[in-house]
Amino acid sequence: MAAESLSLFTAIGLSEQKARETLKNEALSLLLRDAIVQAQKTLGPSVDKVTGTLLYNVATRLKDTKRLGFLVEYIASKKITTDLQLNAALDYVKAHPLDPIDTGHFEKDCGVGVTVTPEQIEEAVEAVIQKFRAQLLAERYRFNMGLLMGEARNQLKWADGKIIKNEVDMQVLHLLGPKTEADLEKKPKVTKPKATEPEKKGDATVNGDVKLESVSLMEQLRGEALKFHKPGENYKTEGYVVTPKTMELLKKHLEITGGQIRTRFPPEPNGILHIGHAKAINFNFGYAKANGGICFLRYDDTNPEKEEEKYFTAIKDMVEWLGYKPYAVTHASDNFNQLYEWAVELIRRGQAYVCHQKVEEIKGHNPPPSPWRDRPVEESLLLFEGMKKGKFAEGEATLRMKLIMEDGKMDPVAYRIKYTPHHRTGDKWCIYPTYDYTHCLCDSIEHITHSLCTKEFQARRSSYFWLCNTLDVYCPVQWEYGRLNLHYTVVSKRKIIKLVETGAVRDWDDPRLFTLTALRRRGFPPEAINNFCARVGVTVAQTTMEPHLLESCVRDVLNETAPRIMAVLEPLKVTITNLPAEKAIDVSVPNFPADESKGFHVVPFSSTIYIEQSDFREVMEKGYKRLTPDQPVGLRHAGYVISLQNIVKDQSGNVIELEVTCTKTDVAEKPKAFIHWVSDPLTCEVRLYDRLFLHKTPEDPSEVPGGFLTDLNTNSLTTIPSALVERSVKNAKALDKFQFERLGYFSVDPDTTPEKIVFNRTVTLKEDPGKM
């Protein structure tokens, strides 16, 4: 049989090597053999190479094999003679899965019977050449000839591309003559001007290897941008399985949804959401929002052992914090009765069975087949009922589905036994459905149009389609996108729990983590996180980004929204000996110096102020611009320049106070720098954060052989217990955000009490504070 097929395949023009490769694919070999045998009935034993290539292409690319005979007939009868026509034919049968096919429409869409004469090609190319004549004469052979080809092809859809190219080449040569030495010189590179605006259309390349989008998330998700199917046209999606009931179910689906896009965000309520979830939230809610649809927040609460009420609350809080409102909040457990009934139906249809293999036996890549796979339906029904009634111990029985998944996993578990009360259903159930069983069916119940999930779930796509189609229920389409990760962190629930238990971090919201609650506590605005997700883009590949790219988005938002105040982290007392006023002067300070229309606040200025220790040098250093014995410095917003008169030191020789004189800035010589200061300040605690881990990928054994817990940065948190801040913030509430001038952006921590404000440093400023 193999030798006969090899001879058959080489007879249609395949090389022997290509024919042997084809034989390795049994399904393709059978399909190609059927195509050739059918074509020979019309053509005789001899099949020319052009026809043979078309037969091979139809066998390799046709998804709906019942259409093979129909298409082969058109190829053998020479009604389809080009790959262009075959592409159109394959698209047509994919879009029309049900019988009968309207041959009139089919032939029109595939160019059957259309003849393009050499004269038509000549006239079309002539018209295109005339359209671009001036540009051609100016740029000569540096002109993009693909434009000419594209224009001509648009006018003559079914023309042979090679003939059009030959005609283009001939007419261009006639117009321009042979290539000269100047034409053969390399085209000089054009240096694009640097963008002056913060966002420009298109992609931005960071560090030469990471491409960031610079268009809004809504633009990326709107309309045809993602090439997703339209509601009700699920069958047009690559790999979607069409059954005799598909079109009827899609019709009912459209009646229920009105053609509206429906998505869902389905987290497990067993942990806190992290930065990767932010992309999923933005994608699911954003795609619905961008296209006038709705998005459900659905808790996948099928494992009562790990679920806690605090996680349900925190997940909803984070979704709303990011600016999205769910159309409805649902739970997988809402559907436990229906899911159980469908499981029974699956058994009745011979597609599921009760198995007694232990969990350890069915783990791994090549577990042994279940000896109970072919047990009688009635027996499985009785046993499944027994599982429900609590007649088996945990691990003693499972319900498994009869299918093989893309990753080779055989017969995934649909139900398992757990004697753990459920937070919503109590003790009603002792059997709980798995993700593989639950997810697609809940999507079907909620009439989801686009089931968006991360790339690792691609291996479950076959079970998704198989389960819906086996039960004859509406089947949504699963679309996968790339997961978002960050360097220098871990997001695994298990590993974060380890960090908490060992005291490396305080809790899930420790500002050194990249959970969403931690980022909120640190002061990251939700808009910045959404902007970061937009800049990463809706990629198919997994993306691992540098934290500084997220921090850049944070600065962009806080620069516009965080009012400026003055604070001193390492205070040095300064006494102004000649200040004219007997008491403090009120100084009006703009909340946003670049836009004074956003208001002012008042700070006192008295003869005693505090500056940063680093803003004074007893010994002048090259390039140092701030206060020294021989160099005055300006005070921001105060209107004064101070000059050193005396240095006060303690017994150890440490500088503890400076005595200075002040001069009005309008009469003093312009200083080299202006520094911030505080007067009559509040004492506050300031927490400065750095990376929690020393290496980019702390979970990588090759990078950190001792495990992630050995990679902790001991300097990831610095606490300053007695920093000073201006009094204008005395009524600040938790999560209020400010820019401490010259120091960075800071947020009020929830640990704040009426006695003492606690600030978290959100991010540093872009500028080097030493240069200000």
Side-chain angles (χ1 to χ4, degrees):
M1 182 73 171
E4 185 185 338
S5 294
L6 182 66
S7 175
L8 198 61
F9 295 168
T10 54
I12 65 166
L14 293 189
S15 67
E16 186 169 337
Q17 182 185 356
K18 188 73 174 175
R20 289 188 185 281
E21 285 177 9
T22 303
L23 282 171
K24 292 176 184 177
N25 186 329
E26 187 179 346
L28 173 59
S29 296
L30 289 172
L31 209 59
L32 181 56
R33 186 183 174 86
D34 288 347
I36 296 169
V37 170
Q38 183 181 331
Q40 287 176 332
K41 291 177 183 177
T42 303
L43 297 170
S46 178
V47 177
D48 64 87
K49 189 170 181 179
V50 172
T51 303
T53 301
L54 290 172
L55 293 174
Y56 181 79
N57 286 344
V58 79
T60 54
R61 291 155 58 193
L62 182 64
K63 302 298 180 186
D64 186 0
T65 54
K66 73 173 185 288
R67 299 295 187 201
L68 182 69
F70 176 79
L71 294 178
V72 169
E73 185 181 334
Y74 271 85
I75 293 169
S77 60
K78 306 294 184 182
K79 291 180 179 179
I80 289 178
T81 57
T82 67
D83 207 46
L84 196 65
Q85 287 181 299
L86 181 59
N87 287 341
L90 290 167
D91 287 343
Y92 189 93
V93 296
K94 181 180 175 183
H96 299 81
L98 297 186
D99 290 321
I101 280 185
D102 186 320
T103 54
H105 284 157
F106 172 80
E107 292 181 0
K108 183 180 177 184
D109 280 13
C110 301
V112 173
V114 175
T115 303
V116 181
T117 65
E119 290 77 21
Q120 286 176 303
I121 293 175
E122 184 181 346
E123 287 172 10
V125 172
E126 205 172 282
V128 172
I129 295 280
Q130 190 60 37
K131 178 180 177 181
F132 293 98
R133 182 183 176 85
Q135 212 173 335
L136 273 163
L137 290 171
E139 297 181 26
R140 291 183 57 78
Y141 287 98
R142 288 175 179 170
F143 181 80
N144 180 6
M145 302 300 171
L147 281 176
L148 307 180
M149 283 286 297
E151 287 269 338
R153 288 301 294 267
N154 286 339
Q155 294 181 37
L156 302 170
K157 182 179 178 181
W158 305 112
D160 189 309
K162 291 179 182 176
I163 298 175
I164 291 180
K165 186 179 185 308
N166 290 338
E167 185 65 32
V168 167
D169 290 346
M170 189 176 70
Q171 291 200 31
V172 168
L173 180 64
H174 180 72
L175 175 67
L176 303 179
K179 287 185 179 179
T180 65
E181 284 188 21
D183 293 325
L184 295 172
E185 288 178 9
K186 284 188 177 179
K187 189 174 181 180
K189 288 186 178 178
V190 179
T191 305
K192 293 183 179 178
K194 290 184 179 178
T196 54
E197 296 180 13
E199 287 196 357
K200 56 180 181 176
K201 194 80 173 175
D203 293 345
T205 304
V206 180
N207 295 336
D209 56 359
V210 180
K211 277 195 129 188
L212 293 183
E213 295 283 348
S214 53
V215 295
S216 75
L217 186 70
M218 291 300 114
E219 282 183 78
Q220 293 178 53
L221 298 177
R222 194 169 287 122
E224 300 295 320
L226 290 175
K227 308 297 180 188
F228 283 172
H229 69 283
K230 294 177 181 176
E233 294 185 356
N234 304 28
Y235 56 87
K236 290 187 177 181
T237 307
E238 188 76 22
Y240 189 82
V241 180
V242 176
T243 72
K245 293 199 173 182
T246 294
M247 302 313 282
E248 178 190 342
L249 290 166
L250 288 175
K251 184 180 177 183
K252 288 180 181 175
H253 161 73
L254 284 174
E255 288 172 0
I256 290 167
T257 65
Q260 187 179 43
I261 282 173
R262 290 187 172 200
T263 61
R264 80 290 167 272
F265 174 58
E268 296 177 72
N270 60 4
I272 299 296
L273 302 182
H274 55 71
I275 187 67
H277 290 112
K279 180 178 178 181
I281 291 168
N282 271 282
F283 195 7
N284 279 284
F285 282 92
Y287 182 64
K289 182 178 179 181
N291 296 284
I294 59 176
C295 183
F296 295 80
L297 169 59
R298 183 204 308 147
Y299 295 111
D300 182 21
D301 58 339
T302 56
N303 188 355
E305 291 174 339
K306 297 182 178 180
E307 292 155 6
E308 294 182 44
E309 186 58 39
K310 68 177 182 180
Y311 297 135
F312 286 85
T313 305
I315 287 169
K316 186 169 183 286
D317 284 350
M318 287 300 97
V319 169
E320 293 177 347
W321 178 64
L322 288 177
Y324 295 108
K325 183 170 177 58
Y327 169 74
V329 177
T330 61
H331 302 74
S333 57
D334 297 338
N335 305 307
F336 276 177
N337 287 332
Q338 178 64 75
L339 293 172
Y340 176 78
E341 288 173 16
W342 275 336
V344 171
E345 181 60 28
L346 210 57
I347 298 170
R348 285 200 183 105
R349 297 188 180 199
Q351 299 299 330
Y353 62 96
V354 172
C355 175
H356 304 288
Q357 283 179 297
K358 304 297 180 189
V359 174
E360 299 75 29
E361 293 180 67
I362 60 176
K363 272 186 176 178
H365 292 295
N366 293 302
S370 171
W372 293 280
R373 194 174 200 267
D374 297 318
R375 78 188 324 161
V377 167
E378 290 304 321
E379 190 177 315
S380 280
L381 286 170
L382 285 171
L383 291 169
F384 189 49
E385 179 72 14
M387 285 171 61
K388 181 190 174 191
K389 290 181 177 179
K391 293 182 179 179
F392 296 96
E394 287 191 18
E396 197 176 342
T398 59
L399 182 70
R400 296 175 68 182
M401 299 177 280
K402 290 185 180 179
L403 80 147
I404 300 175
M405 301 169 75
E406 282 97 332
D407 58 0
K409 183 179 177 184
M410 186 173 181
D411 295 357
V413 172
Y415 270 86
R416 71 278 204 217
I417 299 168
K418 287 183 182 292
Y419 290 106
T420 304
H422 191 274
H423 71 288
R424 297 184 74 235
T425 60
D427 293 322
K428 180 179 178 181
W429 298 92
C430 63
I431 55 171
Y432 293 98
T434 61
Y435 176 91
D436 285 329
Y437 178 77
T438 307
H439 182 65
C440 61
L441 295 179
C442 286
D443 280 354
S444 178
I445 289 168
E446 292 174 357
H447 281 272
I448 301 303
T449 58
H450 299 76
S451 182
L452 309 174
C453 56
T454 47
K455 195 72 176 170
E456 65 265 30
F457 292 103
Q458 188 168 359
R460 288 166 155 139
R461 192 195 283 191
S462 61
S463 68
Y464 188 105
F465 291 157
W466 176 88
L467 190 48
C468 290
N469 290 330
T470 300
L471 289 168
D472 290 323
V473 297
Y474 161 69
C475 183
V477 178
Q478 176 173 304
W479 291 93
E480 299 91 11
Y481 59 90
R483 195 183 189 92
L484 171 61
N485 295 320
L486 281 182
H487 286 308
Y488 299 102
T489 190
V490 296
V491 293
S492 150
K493 299 180 184 90
R494 182 176 55 83
K495 287 175 180 168
I496 291 176
I497 288 170
K498 278 278 185 190
L499 290 170
V500 174
E501 288 174 347
T502 57
V505 297
R506 291 173 59 184
D507 207 337
W508 289 82
D509 65 347
D510 187 297
R512 290 167 289 180
L513 295 173
F514 280 84
T515 60
L516 293 184
T517 51
L519 296 178
R520 178 173 66 174
R521 182 170 187 167
R522 185 162 168 170
F524 281 36
E527 304 92 327
I529 295 172
N530 293 344
N531 292 346
F532 175 63
C533 292
R535 292 188 71 194
V536 171
V538 186
T539 54
V540 175
Q542 179 170 299
T543 313
T544 303
M545 308 298 289
E546 296 286 348
H548 71 81
L549 299 172
L550 172 57
E551 291 170 1
S552 174
C553 293
V554 171
R555 288 189 190 94
D556 289 344
V557 173
L558 292 180
N559 185 50
E560 299 295 324
T561 58
R564 278 52 167 172
I565 63 169
M566 292 188 287
V568 174
L569 304 189
E570 296 179 318
L572 175 58
K573 183 179 179 182
V574 176
T575 301
I576 305 172
T577 59
N578 68 332
L579 189 67
E582 294 179 2
K583 59 180 182 177
I585 303 167
D586 284 340
V587 174
S588 187
V589 177
N591 296 328
F592 295 86
D595 183 1
E596 294 188 354
S597 67
K598 291 185 176 180
F600 294 78
H601 63 277
V602 173
V603 297
F605 179 65
S606 67
S607 59
T608 300
I609 64 172
Y610 298 87
I611 66 171
E612 295 285 353
Q613 292 177 20
S614 60
D615 284 339
F616 169 71
R617 289 282 185 275
E618 190 172 1
V619 179
M620 181 66 175
E621 298 172 4
K622 186 179 178 181
Y624 189 76
K625 298 179 180 179
R626 288 157 284 161
L627 186 62
T628 72
D630 301 314
Q631 181 171 273
V633 74
L635 299 177
R636 291 173 74 89
H637 312 298
Y640 285 98
V641 175
I642 57 173
S643 302
L644 187 69
Q645 298 299 308
N646 185 39
I647 301 172
V648 181
K649 298 183 179 181
D650 62 14
Q651 292 180 346
S652 302
N654 299 313
V655 176
I656 58 171
E657 184 180 350
L658 302 177
E659 294 177 351
V660 303
T661 57
C662 66
T663 309
K664 283 277 193 178
T665 52
D666 53 1
V667 296
E669 185 178 339
K670 185 178 179 182
K672 290 183 179 179
F674 283 83
I675 61 173
H676 64 279
W677 51 273
V678 291
S679 179
D680 189 25
L682 298 172
T683 300
C684 64
E685 179 180 312
V686 173
R687 297 169 183 171
L688 307 178
Y689 299 100
D690 203 344
R691 289 170 177 161
L692 184 58
F693 296 98
L694 298 171
H695 290 83
K696 271 190 172 185
T697 49
E699 298 166 284
D700 184 351
S702 64
E703 201 170 333
V704 186
F708 73 101
L709 288 175
T710 67
D711 194 47
L712 292 166
N713 175 12
T714 54
N715 298 315
S716 62
L717 170 61
T718 301
T719 301
I720 302 172
S722 299
L724 302 177
V725 64
E726 64 179 61
R727 286 190 172 273
S728 66
V729 300
K730 65 180 179 181
N731 295 319
K733 304 182 295 297
L735 305 181
D736 282 354
K737 298 163 184 62
F738 303 93
Q739 185 197 101
F740 289 3
E741 293 203 34
R742 300 177 63 237
L743 296 176
Y745 293 100
F746 292 76
S747 177
V748 180
D749 189 85
D751 286 345
T752 293
T753 65
E755 291 74 38
K756 194 173 195 179
I757 301 177
V758 179
F759 286 99
N760 294 319
R761 185 172 67 188
T762 306
V763 288
T764 58
L765 294 174
K766 287 182 183 178
E767 299 84 355
D768 177 2
K771 293 181 181 177
M772 296 180 66

